[in-house]
Amino acid sequence: MPARVVGEIQSFADLSILPGESAPERVLENCNGFDALICTLMNKVTADFIDRLPPSIRLVATYSVGIDHIDLRALQARRIALVNTPDVFTEATADIAWLLLLGAARRASEAEALLRSGMWTGWEPNQLVGTDIHGSTLGILGFGRIGRAVARRAAGFGMNILTSVRSSSAGDPPPPGTIICSSMEEVLAGSDFLSLHLPLTEETQNWLNAERIASMKSGAIVINTARGGLIDETALIAALQSGKLGGAGLDVFVGEPDIRRDLVEAPNTFLLPHLGSATRRAREGMGLSLARDIAAFFAGRPVENGVGVSK
């Protein structure tokens, strides 16, 4: 964690830090006598892991907004509280979504590779021709804080915006001219670009599958900064290879950090290693948010970002 975060937690608690890749057995061995456990989305906090936590653990704090790596029912069964870090990295993640959109649309990976290879021979009329952004239609699925932040950026680029809001969402109102569609499928059919900001649940696992991709515009570009499991990667790769999709900008993957080789080698892709929150301000903000909630929990005060059972 950032040094400022470590210092903040050490100001009120004894802190033991293990390498991020530590095996579950080692984590469990080091939890004895501790009151709280901080994890990241790379740590699978399964039912078996939770069942084996020592009775001293009363709080799990995840250094993420997503909680799909944690078995919530098992936590509730043990009456262990959970806090996460929403709202801290909205703008940073929206920036990455926009980087992915620009990179995929304008074939940035291919262009940089050509330049760095020393094989570029000069400007040509048909060289690495990409997709227009201005005046195109961006579909946004998941219209919470990050989705709305992406919409604001799209409005600045003169894009038309489609979304489907199934319930009231926190955050700023949508930009003027945003069209609220009756279903997510309607968003799919009308979008030149599609940006995913849905949570990963049983209902959204592999949501963007072959059937839904087939309903999209030919040449559409898919952007994903949410969770890799939202997309059926086999169907995505086939659509990229056939030309059905014009490209993909991805910051998240199924089974990361082990990424499918055929996805890495698929045409018209712009790929990043899960950098959505990777700014100094966002990463410090995430840690300081956890520190405040950990301190509040053990002082008997309300936490800001509690999930599930309370103290």
Side-chain angles (χ1 to χ4, degrees):
M1 294 184 290
R4 184 182 174 194
V5 175
V6 171
E8 181 64 24
I9 297 174
Q10 288 176 329
S11 72
F12 64 82
D14 293 325
L15 179 65
S16 175
I17 301 176
L18 299 177
E21 68 277 6
S22 294
E25 291 295 334
R26 184 180 179 195
V27 177
L28 289 166
E29 290 171 1
N30 282 271
C31 282
N32 288 319
F34 281 77
D35 303 293
L37 172 66
I38 298 174
C39 65
T40 75
L41 56 85
M42 299 302 293
N43 304 121
K44 303 304 179 186
V45 185
T46 63
D48 176 69
F49 180 90
I50 292 167
D51 287 343
R52 297 166 65 195
L53 282 171
S56 60
I57 295 290
R58 296 166 53 204
L59 175 70
V60 170
T62 181
Y63 198 91
S64 66
V65 62
I67 54 175
D68 50 279
H69 57 297
I70 298 173
D71 191 312
L72 297 182
R73 291 181 181 176
L75 278 186
Q76 290 170 349
R78 285 282 306 271
R79 302 298 295 173
I80 297 173
L82 172 66
V83 294
N84 65 344
T85 62
D87 310 336
V88 179
F89 50 81
T90 295
E91 301 300 333
T93 304
D95 284 346
I96 283 290
W98 208 251
L99 172 62
L100 291 168
L101 189 150
L102 290 168
R106 298 304 299 270
R107 302 173 64 178
S109 290
E110 295 170 81
E112 185 181 30
L114 175 64
L115 188 66
R116 290 183 182 277
S117 71
M119 301 298 291
W120 184 48
T121 58
W123 186 91
E124 297 176 19
N126 292 316
Q127 185 178 72
L128 292 172
V129 173
T131 301
D132 285 307
I133 296 168
H134 185 275
S136 296
T137 298
L138 172 64
I140 301 175
L141 294 181
F143 213 53
R145 290 178 175 85
I146 296 174
R148 290 173 188 244
V150 172
R152 292 197 303 272
R153 286 156 176 77
F157 273 71
M159 298 186 82
N160 307 303
I161 303 165
L162 302 179
T163 189
S164 173
V165 181
R166 292 178 291 177
S167 61
S168 59
S169 298
D172 299 331
T178 300
I179 298 174
I180 308 298
C181 299
S182 60
S183 67
M184 292 196 287
E185 282 74 16
E186 187 178 345
V187 175
L188 283 182
S191 299
D192 301 302
F193 295 85
L194 180 72
S195 191
L196 299 177
H197 303 282
L198 299 165
L200 182 61
T201 65
E202 291 182 2
E203 291 74 25
T204 61
Q205 181 77 39
N206 287 331
W207 188 86
L208 190 61
N209 55 23
E211 181 180 358
R212 289 192 171 103
I213 290 173
S215 73
M216 297 177 68
K217 291 182 179 180
S218 292
I221 292 175
V222 173
I223 307 300
N224 190 10
T225 55
R227 286 291 183 268
L230 295 173
I231 299 176
D232 179 339
E233 289 185 344
T234 298
L236 176 70
I237 293 165
L240 290 167
Q241 291 173 339
S242 71
K244 168 61 180 177
L245 289 178
L250 308 174
D251 188 45
V252 288
F253 309 88
V254 175
E256 59 184 63
D258 298 321
I259 303 172
R260 294 174 53 158
R261 197 69 227 162
D262 51 354
L263 178 56
V264 173
E265 295 172 352
N268 300 338
T269 54
F270 188 77
L271 310 177
L272 297 175
H274 207 135
L275 297 181
S277 63
T279 69
R280 291 184 182 89
R281 181 187 303 171
R283 292 286 169 85
E284 280 195 354
M286 292 166 66
L288 294 175
S289 172
L290 286 187
R292 288 193 299 271
D293 273 349
I294 294 169
F297 179 86
F298 289 103
R301 302 190 303 269
V303 299
E304 295 178 9
N305 299 305
V307 181
V309 297
S310 63
K311 179 178 183 292

